[in-house]
Amino acid sequence: MNAGFEGTGLSSYLPIAEHGLIGDLHSAALVGTNGTIDWYCCPRFDSPSVFASILDADRGGSFELAADVPTRTRQFYFPDTNVLITRFFASDGVAEIQDFMPITDDSGAPAPHRLIRRVICVRGSLPFTAHVAPRFGYGADPHSAQARSSHTVVFHSGSLALALTATAPLECDGLDAWSRFKLLEGESAVFALDPVVDDVIPQACPQAEAERQFETTVRFWRGWLAGSRYHGRWREMVHRSALVLKLLTYAPTGAIVAAPTTSLPEKIGGERNWDYRFVWVRDAAFCVYAMLRLGFTGEAEAFMRFLSERGIMRGSGPAGPLQIMYGIDGRSELPEQVLPHLEGYLGSAPVRVGNAATGQLQLDIYGALIDSVYLYDKWGQPISSDRWEELCVLVDWLCDHWDQPDDGVWETRGGRKNFVYSRLMCWVAIERAIRMANRRGLPADLPRWRQSRDAIYRQIMQRGWSPERGAFVQHLDDLVLDASVLMMPMAKFISPTDPKWLATLDALTADLVSDSLVYRYDPEASPDGLRGAEGTFSICSFWYVEALTRAGRLEEARLAFEKMLTYANHVGLYAEEIGLTGEQLGNFPQAFTHLSLISAAFNLDRALG
């Protein structure tokens, strides 16, 4: 261990960016470039972790698999899929690990929940070591490991049991499992991790079955991606972003999680560590927009079904009909707790599970949701009469409640304020509902809706515009800038070439933009109730590209976009933020960033012709 981290395990942490993601539309796993799975929750995104060494190298648990000699490694996705390949280059040979989670079987039916790791020696010969050390319940629950044969070990912890099977021999010490083996050119070994259902131990995954499931998984992802209608300049990055968004979908309900991880820090050593394994209404609604843009109406339809079947649009609570987030099964209770036994990524504590922000009032979510319903009604299927009645209730509520302070889009914990972005999205909610009513002749209290819409517009123009700053600002009657107002022209609130908007764009460029990277706001100028600074916010950087595009500043937009692409990791993934030296920060990968990349690429492509 490094001298500065002696006894802490901190030297064992890979950079966040040194990971790829695999999944099966139920859960997901992070695989490091060193061949270690250091984040995996089973059997769902929001289940307690089985492997969490990314949050505690000593106590979190991991699935290590690597060549047992000095190597260089390279990681990439099998083209047009979410099958991850990690290659090992050594003096005596070359080998690779194929990591994937099957989604369907040969008949197209859902596959059993399974994680497969297939090691192949492609040149020469290499020795390998596997060390499987699950730590259940975020590393807090006791477990036992029992060898059922020389090729099967079963791990038990409470109600969850996992079976590890391998074609290589396994050893077991009651807690962990090991395997040491050597592969010659053309040889392979297969490891599979399966939940034990009804005490039935799964059979070992033989080479032929692993090959078949590999081909079936490749076929699934390529078949899905073939539905994309994007053929522009940035096809590879746009399609990788689409594949990420699909990976973050929970198939049983159609829910879309904001990210598959919890508590990856927005600042190393800081306290801005949150659980993102839930359905943010805003993030999921924006995902629907991105998916519809690419032609994936099925995902939009599944999310609309999630809203209706889970009664999301018929809710009622202290903060209004909608919560800002829900569980992937539609539950509304997501109590936040700290896990003090985990040290956090590179010592970034606390580690949190659950999210107390559920109680916040964020009025912008109504605009995001109703805009996605509007787009689905326009580009997908016309919404039903029941959905329209539910939507009318939301709009009527908003007409009574839009003119109040809230907690804002950035979920600040510094008290409610009159955020301009919240007003903007209230305007969007009512304006899109009016459009739907007019286009389809649907019943609505249009005079009242128009009155509220116009009142919001006038308030933003009179009090959200600061003559002193020459820009639209973060709060009404304020001087602080906020990158969220980049949504103004995208939401069709203001012309992208309006003098007030161009002045705002120039002010944001001067104050919040650093080499194409955009800060959300200045926490010193606008305290948010939390300690420490943060990195630039990647969704804002792509919003900036889109704002430049719509303003006709195409050369600036294209350069900013190309620069942003250089900040992606080696397999095209983005976390929430980018740090001072270009490192990925925050939960990873993040849907918000990838959906904004798709939108920016789509609109920039169209503008360039």
Side-chain angles (χ1 to χ4, degrees):
M1 291 192 176
N2 294 344
F5 296 138
E6 187 172 355
T8 68
L10 297 186
S11 61
S12 304
Y13 293 92
L14 279 179
I16 292 171
E18 291 292 311
H19 291 87
L21 184 75
I22 60 172
D24 62 358
L25 311 185
H26 285 74
S27 185
L30 288 181
V31 185
T33 51
N34 58 359
T36 296
I37 295 177
D38 55 16
W39 179 254
Y40 175 55
C41 298
C42 182
R44 310 190 330 176
F45 289 109
D46 57 356
S47 298
S49 63
V50 173
F51 304 130
S53 57
I54 198 168
L55 294 179
D56 193 308
D58 293 331
R59 290 177 287 271
S62 63
F63 188 154
E64 300 173 17
L65 179 57
D68 204 11
V69 291
T71 58
R72 293 177 296 109
T73 62
R74 293 287 186 274
Q75 199 175 60
F76 65 99
Y77 278 109
F78 202 75
D80 294 336
T81 76
N82 281 315
V83 174
L84 192 66
I85 312 293
T86 307
R87 307 204 94 202
F88 295 84
F89 299 86
S91 57
D92 292 330
V94 178
E96 68 183 33
I97 303 173
Q98 300 171 348
D99 282 304
F100 61 99
M101 294 167 71
I103 297 166
T104 61
D105 60 21
D106 294 337
S107 68
H113 195 69
R114 167 172 264 189
L115 194 159
I116 295 178
R117 314 201 71 189
R118 186 178 179 220
V119 195
I120 303 173
C121 184
V122 295
R123 300 185 67 183
S125 64
L126 283 177
F128 273 83
T129 299
H131 178 203
V132 186
R135 297 294 182 263
F136 294 82
Y138 303 109
D141 295 346
H143 78 278
S144 62
Q146 181 182 9
R148 294 296 182 92
S149 72
S150 59
H151 294 272
T152 302
V153 172
V154 177
F155 303 98
H156 282 278
S157 178
S159 60
L160 181 61
L162 296 176
L164 173 70
T165 57
T167 57
L170 294 171
E171 303 171 32
C172 174
D173 67 356
L175 284 178
D176 300 352
W178 281 270
S179 183
R180 294 174 179 83
F181 56 96
K182 185 171 186 176
L183 296 178
L184 305 179
E185 188 169 321
E187 292 182 337
S188 62
V190 178
F191 294 79
L193 193 64
D194 299 86
V196 177
V197 180
D198 297 328
D199 294 324
V200 177
I201 308 300
Q203 296 294 313
C205 183
Q207 304 286 358
E209 183 181 346
E211 174 69 24
R212 188 171 64 254
Q213 293 197 346
F214 174 86
E215 292 172 355
T216 302
T217 306
V218 166
R219 193 160 55 246
F220 171 86
W221 288 116
R222 288 183 170 172
W224 179 81
L225 194 59
S228 169
R229 58 178 182 223
Y230 178 83
H231 304 289
R233 294 167 176 79
W234 297 286
R235 182 176 177 273
E236 188 172 340
M237 287 301 291
V238 167
H239 281 176
R240 177 51 51 200
S241 292
L243 285 163
V244 170
L245 296 185
K246 181 65 173 174
L247 265 184
L248 299 182
T249 302
Y250 182 61
T253 65
I256 305 168
V257 298
T261 55
T262 181
S263 299
L264 293 183
E266 296 175 19
K267 178 179 173 58
I268 302 299
E271 65 174 341
R272 298 169 186 259
N273 318 315
W274 315 109
D275 192 346
Y276 276 14
R277 298 170 299 153
F278 307 116
V279 186
W280 265 256
V281 169
R282 174 192 313 109
D283 301 43
F286 283 164
C287 277
V288 168
Y289 165 79
M291 289 297 201
L292 286 169
R293 266 280 178 235
L294 298 177
F296 295 113
T297 57
E299 285 63 36
E301 185 176 336
F303 181 66
M304 293 300 154
R305 198 163 55 245
F306 170 76
L307 294 176
S308 60
E309 291 179 355
R310 308 288 153 172
I312 303 298
M313 292 171 65
R314 298 189 300 277
S316 62
L322 291 180
Q323 284 190 179
I324 69 165
M325 75 181 89
Y326 298 87
I328 56 176
D329 52 7
R331 73 188 188 281
S332 55
E333 297 295 322
L334 305 172
E336 181 176 300
Q337 65 181 109
V338 169
L339 304 181
H341 63 282
L342 297 180
E343 70 181 1
Y345 177 80
L346 281 174
S348 303
V351 171
R352 296 180 174 96
V353 294
N355 202 305
T358 47
Q360 289 195 352
L361 174 66
Q362 297 179 17
L363 291 169
D364 68 282
I365 64 175
Y366 292 88
L369 179 64
I370 293 175
D371 191 40
S372 72
V373 174
Y374 162 76
L375 292 171
Y376 177 70
D377 183 75
K378 182 179 177 182
W379 293 342
Q381 295 290 328
I383 65 166
S384 68
S385 55
D386 287 344
R387 295 296 82 72
W388 176 250
E389 292 297 327
E390 293 169 359
L391 189 143
C392 286
V393 171
L394 295 183
V395 177
D396 287 338
W397 182 90
L398 206 54
C399 286
D400 290 331
H401 293 87
W402 65 265
D403 192 9
Q404 61 177 309
D406 72 343
D407 295 294
V409 61
W410 304 131
E411 264 159 48
T412 59
R413 300 196 177 190
R416 293 180 178 178
K417 298 174 183 174
N418 291 305
F419 287 96
V420 171
Y421 180 79
S422 298
R423 297 292 197 275
L424 167 71
M425 296 307 286
C426 288
W427 178 90
V428 168
I430 300 171
E431 197 275 339
R432 299 305 191 264
I434 292 171
R435 282 198 206 188
M436 291 173 66
N438 286 333
R439 192 177 77 246
R440 290 186 50 196
L442 296 167
D445 190 352
L446 288 176
R448 182 181 183 224
W449 290 7
R450 290 193 188 101
Q451 185 180 18
S452 297
R453 177 197 64 185
D454 295 348
I456 299 170
Y457 179 89
R458 292 191 183 98
Q459 186 185 83
I460 292 174
M461 285 300 186
Q462 291 165 10
R463 299 175 57 196
W465 167 263
S466 167
E468 189 176 337
R469 285 304 304 259
F472 290 103
V473 288
Q474 185 177 56
H475 314 115
L476 301 179
D477 309 314
D478 198 7
L479 298 175
V480 176
L481 296 180
D482 189 310
S484 63
V485 301
L486 287 164
M487 277 290 290
M488 282 183 156
M490 287 184 263
K492 308 289 195 297
F493 176 85
I494 194 170
S495 163
T497 55
D498 185 293
K500 283 187 173 179
W501 172 249
L502 293 178
T504 301
L505 189 54
D506 289 339
L508 292 170
T509 301
D511 277 34
L512 296 181
V513 179
S514 170
D515 188 44
S516 85
L517 301 174
V518 181
Y519 290 94
R520 295 190 287 186
Y521 52 88
D522 180 355
E524 290 189 13
S526 178
D528 56 14
L530 294 163
R531 294 189 300 272
E534 61 179 13
T536 56
F537 217 66
S538 294
I539 188 173
C540 297
S541 301
F542 287 118
W543 283 352
Y544 180 62
V545 169
E546 198 159 340
L548 291 170
T549 300
R550 291 173 185 264
R553 301 177 179 179
L554 298 185
E555 285 302 314
E556 290 178 66
R558 187 168 187 175
L559 180 59
F561 187 72
E562 294 285 2
K563 282 182 176 180
M564 269 304 294
L565 296 186
T566 69
Y567 287 104
N569 83 338
H570 58 287
V571 287
L573 306 185
Y574 289 89
E576 185 174 31
E577 301 182 13
I578 294 171
L580 195 60
T581 57
E583 71 274 19
Q584 302 277 351
L585 293 172
N587 284 304
F588 177 86
Q590 201 210 26
F592 230 177
T593 306
H594 286 278
L595 64 89
S596 61
L597 182 156
I598 291 170
S599 182
F602 188 94
N603 286 289
L604 182 54
D605 252 322
R606 188 168 57 183
L608 290 170

